[in-house]
C-alpha cells in the first residue's frame, strides 16, 4: 500500500530527444574541427613562434631528391650532412656520434651516425633530450617519417637560439637506424656521455602523413609530465587511453629505448594518412603542413616547459588524463580513480532514492532500466561484430584498407546509436522515464567502478559522465522534488559524447576494421544516455532508430562500393626475388596486402594461383613464380676458431656476402644459443625466444639470431656461444634493396593502385649452414 500522491505521467514530449540528437551532431562537428591540426603559420610569423611555412622549406632541403635513405646508404650520409649544415647555420655546433651498435628490439646491429646538438643551460643538467630520427625505410623518402619531425626540431631550435639560456641544457638527438630496429637510440643510450645526464625526453614520430600531433605515450610516474604538458601545449591532443591501444600495434619508437634506460618522457606522433606511411608516397608533397605546425608547436612548447622544470627530483605519481576537445588537459592521480567512480555511483544511487521519495517510479522500474542498459550494450556489441563479419564476407576493406575510412566509421557509429535507441524505446514501456534514467546511470557508474579497478587509463570515459549524471541528478531531484529531468539526462550524455567521440573517430585509423565493433559499441554507450529522453518522446521515438538503421545500411553500402585502393592510397605489394643456395632456380615472391594476385602480375610471371610458404625459416606466405637462377653466390660462413669456455662451446665465424649485399641475417635454433656477439658487441637475445617462427613445412625449432645492417665488404666476425650437444643448423641470409634488371617487367606490372612499402622490393639469397 502506498498512500503518497503520485503525479500523473508526463505528456509525451519529443523535443528533448530531438534536441539531444542535435546536441550529438554539434558534439560531432566540434570534435571533427577540434581534432584537426591547426593551420600552418606564415613565413613572417614572429621569430619566437613556430612556423610550418618556414619549417617546410627546411623539410624540402632535407629530403632533397627524395631518395630513400636507410642506415648505411649513400643517401643517408647526404641527408645527415644537410641536417648537420642546417644546425650549423643556426649557430649550433652539431656533432656526429659514429659507432657500431646492436639493439635488442629487433635484434639488429649497424654502424650508426647519430646527430647530437647541445644547447647550454644556466645549470649543467639534467638535460632535456629532444629526439627524432633521420633514417627512412628503404621503400620511401621518409618526408613525414620522420623528416617532418626533424624539420620541427630545426625550426624549434631556431626559435630557441634567439632566447637567453634556460635553466636546463637541451640536447637535440637526430638518430640513425630507427627503422632498422632503434639502433641509433640504443647507441646513444649505451655509449654517449650525455646520455647519463638526461632528465626527460621528448620523442617525435609519425605513423602517417597527416592528422593532429597526438601525445600517445608517457612513462611511469607521469604526473609531473602531464602537469607540464597541460600548462604548456596550446592545442593538446592527449589521452591515457592511447597507450594501451598503441601497445597492440606492431610499431615501436625510440622512446622504448629511452624508457628501458629509465629516462622519463613523452611521445608525439600523427597517424592520419596511414596508407602512405613507409611508402614512396611519404614525400614532401603529401606531408601535411598542418601536422608539421602541430608537431612543431607541441615540440617548442613542451621543450620550453621542460627546460625550466626541476628535473633533478621530479615528483612521483601517475595520472589518468585526457584532453577536452583540444582545449585543455584534465587529469587526476590514478589513486583518485576508484574514489571518484564510487562517488559517481553513490550520487546516482542517491538520485534514485530522492526520486522515489519525491513520488517517482518504484524501484523495480530502475532495475528494468538497468537491464535495458546492459542489453543495449550487449546487443550493439553483437550487432557490430556480426555486421563486421557480414561486411568482410561481402568483400569490404580487403587487407583492412579503404579509400573512404569515414564511411566505414560512420556506418558503425550510426549502427551503434540505432541499436542503443531501439532497445531503449522497447524497454521504456516498463522502465518509464525515471527508471530509464536511473537504470542507465546506475549501470554506467557501476561500470565506472569496475573500469577504475581493471583499466584505469580508460575509465575516465565512464567516470566523468557518471559524475555529471550523479551531480545533475541529485541536485535537480533534491531541489525540484521530482524525478531527474531533461537537463539531468542531456548533460551527461553530451559529456560522454565529447569524451568518447574523438577516440572512437581515431581508432579506425590506428587499428583498421578490427576496431569497428569497439567503435560501434562505444557510440552505443553514448546512445544509452538517450534512454530517458526516448522514454519521454512520442511517436518519433520509433522513427529515429529505424531511420538510423536505414542510414547505417546506406553508409555500409557506400563503404562497400568505395575503392579499397587508389594511387594516393595504394595497396602494399612488395616483390622479392629469392634464391636458396641448395636450389637450382630462383623464385619471385609477391605478397599483396589484399591477398589477391593482380591479373597483370599473373601475366608477367608464372605465379601460382594459391599463396604458399615463402621462406623455409618463416610461416609467411606469398604467391610464387619460378625465376632464372641468379648469377651470385649465396652468403657463406667460415669457422675461424672454436672451443670450450666456461663450460660452453663457442664458435667464431666470418660471414660474408660475396655479392656485397648491405644486410645479412643469421638464424640459429633459438634454444641452443646462449649469446651472440658481433665485433665484440653483445646482441641482446630476447628471452621470448625466436625472432621468426619456423615454417610449417620445415617444422624445425624456433629460430633466432640477428640482422646486420651496413655489412662491410670483408664480412663480419660473429661469436656464437652454444649450449647442448651436436652440430647446429641454421640459415645465413643476405638482402639487397631493389631487383636486378630481370625484375623490371614484373615491377612494371604492379598496378598503379599498388606500391612498395617498408623494405620494398628486395633480392634475397640464403644458404643452409651448420657448424
Ligand atoms: Zn619513424
Amino acid at each position: 500500500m502506498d498512500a503518497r500522491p503520485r503525479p500523473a505521467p508526463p505528456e509525451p514530449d519529443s523535443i528533448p530527444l530531438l534536441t539531444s540528437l542535435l546536441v550529438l551532431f554539434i558534439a560531432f562537428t566540434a570534435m571533427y574541427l577540434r581534432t584537426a591540426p591547426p593551420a600552418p603559420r606564415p613565413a613572417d610569423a614572429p621569430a619566437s613562434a613556430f612556423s610550418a611555412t618556414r619549417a617546410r622549406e627546411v623539410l624540402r632541403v632535407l629530403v632533397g631528391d627524395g631518395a630513400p635513405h636507410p642506415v648505411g646508404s649513400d643517401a643517408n650520409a647526404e641527408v645527415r650532412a644537410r641536417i648537420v649544415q642546417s644546425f650549423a647555420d643556426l649557430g649550433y655546433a652539431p656533432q656526429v656520434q659514429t659507432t657500431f651498435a646492436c639493439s635488442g628490439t629487433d635484434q639488429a646491429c649497424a654502424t650508426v651516425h647519430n646527430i647530437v646538438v647541445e644547447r647550454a643551460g644556466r645549470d649543467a643538467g639534467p638535460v632535456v633530450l629532444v629526439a627524432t630520427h633521420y633514417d627512412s625505410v628503404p621503400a620511401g623518402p621518409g618526408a613525414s617519417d620522420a623528416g617532418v619531425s626533424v624539420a620541427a626540431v630545426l625550426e624549434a631550435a631556431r626559435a630557441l637560439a634567439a632566447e637567453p639560456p634556460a635553466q636546463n641544457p637541451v640536447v637535440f638527438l637526430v638518430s640513425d637506424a630507427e627503422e632498422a630496429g632503434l639502433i641509433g637510440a640504443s647507441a646513444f643510450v649505451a655509449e654517449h656521455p650525455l646520455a647519463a645526464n638526461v632528465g626527460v625526453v621528448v620523442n617525435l614520430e609519425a605513423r602517417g602523413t597527416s592528422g593532429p600531433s597526438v601525445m600517445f605515450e608517457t612513462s611511469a610516474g607521469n604526473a609531473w609530465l602531464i602537469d607540464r604538458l597541460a600548462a604548456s601545449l596550446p592545442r593538446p591532443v592527449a589521452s591515457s587511453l592511447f597507450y594501451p591501444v598503441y601497445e597492440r600495434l606492431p610499431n615501436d619508437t625510440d622512446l622504448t629505448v629511452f624508457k628501458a634506460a629509465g629516462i622519463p618522457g613523452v611521445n608525439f606522433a600523427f597517424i592520419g594518412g596511414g596508407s602512405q606511411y613507409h611508402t614512396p608516397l611519404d614525400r614532401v608533397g603529401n606531408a601535411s603542413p598542418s601536422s608539421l605546425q602541430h608537431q612543431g608547436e607541441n615540440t617548442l612548447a613542451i621543450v620550453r616547459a621542460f627546460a625550466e622544470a626541476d628535473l633533478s627530483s621530479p615528483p612521483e605519481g601517475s595520472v589518468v588524463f585526457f584532453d577536452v576537445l583540444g582545449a585543455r588537459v584534465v587529469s587526476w592521480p590514478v589513486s583518485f580513480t576508484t574514489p571518484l567512480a564510487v562517488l559517481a555511483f553513490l550520487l546516482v544511487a542517491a538520485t534514485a532514492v530522492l526520486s522515489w521519495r519525491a513520488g517517482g517510479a518504484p524501484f523495480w522500474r530502475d532495475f528494468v532500466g538497468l537491464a535495458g542498459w546492459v542489453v543495449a550494450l550487449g546487443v550493439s556489441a553483437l550487432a557490430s561484430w556480426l555486421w563486421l563479419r557480414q561486411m568482410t564476407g561481402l568483400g569490404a576493406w580487403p587487407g583492412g584498407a579503404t579509400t573512404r575510412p569515414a564511411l566505414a566509421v560512420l556506418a558503425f557509429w550510426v549502427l551503434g546509436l540505432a541499436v542503443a535507441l531501439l532497445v531503449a524505446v522497447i524497454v521504456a514501456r516498463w522502465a518509464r522515464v525515471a527508471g530509464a534514467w536511473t537504470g542507465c546511470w546506475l549501470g554506467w557508474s557501476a561500470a565506472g567502478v569496475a573500469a577504475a579497478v581493471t583499466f584505469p587509463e580508460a575509465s575516465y570515459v565512464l567516470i566523468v559522465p557518471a559524475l555529471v549524471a550523479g551531480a545533475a541528478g541529485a541536485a535537480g531531484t533534491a531541489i525540484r522534488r521530482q524525478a531527474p529531468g531533461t537537463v539531468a539526462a542531456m548533460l551527461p550524455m553530451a559529456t560522454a559524447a565529447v569524451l568518447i567521440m574523438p577516440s572512437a573517430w581515431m581508432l579506425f585509423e590506428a587499428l583498421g576494421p578490427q576496431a569497428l565493433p569497439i567503435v560501434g559499441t562505444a557510440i552505443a554507450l553514448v546512445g544509452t544516455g538517450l534512454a530517458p529522453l526516448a522514454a519521454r518522446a512520442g511517436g518519433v521515438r520509433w522513427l529515429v532508430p529505424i531511420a538510423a538503421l536505414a542510414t547505417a545500411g546506406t553508409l555500409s553500402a557506400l563503404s562497400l562500393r568505395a575503392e579499397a585502393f587508389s594511387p594516393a592510397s595504394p595497396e602494399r605489394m612488395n616483390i622479392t626475388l629469392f634464391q636458396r643456395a641448395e636450389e637450382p632456380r630462383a623464385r619471385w615472391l609477391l605478397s599483396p596486402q589484399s591477398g589477391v594476385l593482380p591479373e597483370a602480375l599473373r601475366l608477367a610471371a608464372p605465379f601460382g594461383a594459391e599463396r604458399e610458404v615463402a621462406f623455409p625459416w618463416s610461416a609467411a606466405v606469398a604467391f610464387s613464380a619460378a625465376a632464372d637462377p641468379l648469377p651470385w653466390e649465396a652468403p657463406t660462413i667460415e669457422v675461424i676458431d672454436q672451443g670450450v669456455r666456461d663450460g660452453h662451446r663457442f664458435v667464431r665465424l666470418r660471414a660474408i656476402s660475396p655479392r656485397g649485399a648491405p644486410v645479412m641475417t643469421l638464424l640459429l635454433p633459438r634454444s641452443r644459443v646462449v649469446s651472440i656477439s658481433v665485433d665484440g658487441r653483445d646482441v641482446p637475445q630476447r628471452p621470448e625466444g625466436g625472432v621468426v617462427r619456423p615454417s610449417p613445412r620445415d617444422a624445425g625449432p624456433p629460430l633466432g639470431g640477428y640482422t646486420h645492417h651496413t655489412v662491410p665488404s670483408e664480412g663480419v666476425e660473429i661469436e656464437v656461444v652454444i649450449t647442448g650437444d651436436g652440430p647446429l643448423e641454421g640459415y645465413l641470409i643476405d638482402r639487397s634493396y631493389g631487383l636486378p634488371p630481370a625484375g623490371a617487367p614484373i615491377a612494371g606490372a604492379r598496378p598503379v593502385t599498388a606500391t612498395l612499402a617498408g623494405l620494398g622490393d628486395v633480392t634475397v639469397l640464403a644458404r643452409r649452414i651448420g657448424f
Side-chain angles (χ1 to χ4, degrees), residues 133 145-146 178-179 205-206 277-278:
H133 66 92
D145 178 17
E178 191 271 351
E179 304 289 5
E205 261 296 352
Y277 168 69
H278 281 184

Side-chain angles (χ1 to χ4, degrees), residues 37 66 105 165 234 245 313 331 342 418 496 498 512 604 615 640:
T105 310
V245 174
S313 54
S331 67
V342 170
V498 164
F615 307 105
I640 305 169

Side-chain angles (χ1 to χ4, degrees), residues 321-406:
F321 62 94
F322 54 93
D323 72 277
V324 181
L325 294 177
R328 56 170 299 137
V329 172
V330 176
S331 67
W332 62 70
V334 170
S335 59
F336 284 17
T337 307
T338 305
L340 280 173
V342 170
L343 174 66
F345 182 81
L346 292 177
L347 282 171
V348 172
T351 309
V353 174
L354 286 169
S355 157
W356 171 72
R357 286 181 47 174
F363 282 131
W364 67 267
R365 295 203 191 276
D366 297 345
F367 288 104
V368 174
L370 177 60
W373 184 82
V374 173
V375 169
L377 280 183
V379 173
S380 59
L382 186 67
S384 307
W385 182 73
L386 289 173
W387 199 239
L388 173 65
R389 272 188 49 153
Q390 183 64 27
M391 290 288 286
T392 320
L394 289 171
W397 320 307
T402 172
T403 53
R404 309 281 301 276

Side-chain angles (χ1 to χ4, degrees), residues 97 116 118 124-129 169 171 173 185-201 257-258 261-264 311-312:
Q97 176 200 14
V116 183
E118 263 190 280
V127 162
V128 179
L129 183 69
V171 170
L173 167 66
S186 300
F188 178 83
V189 165
E191 296 178 25
H192 201 282
L194 284 168
N197 201 17
V198 174
V200 67
V201 57
V257 173
F258 302 128
I263 303 171
L311 301 177
S312 53

Side-chain angles (χ1 to χ4, degrees), residues 46 50 105 130 204-205 255 262 302 313 368 421 431 436 643 649 672 753:
F50 187 95
T105 310
V130 186
L204 306 170
E205 261 296 352
L255 187 61
I302 197 67
S313 54
V368 174
L421 256 177
R649 184 178 158 216
R672 293 198 53 198
T753 54

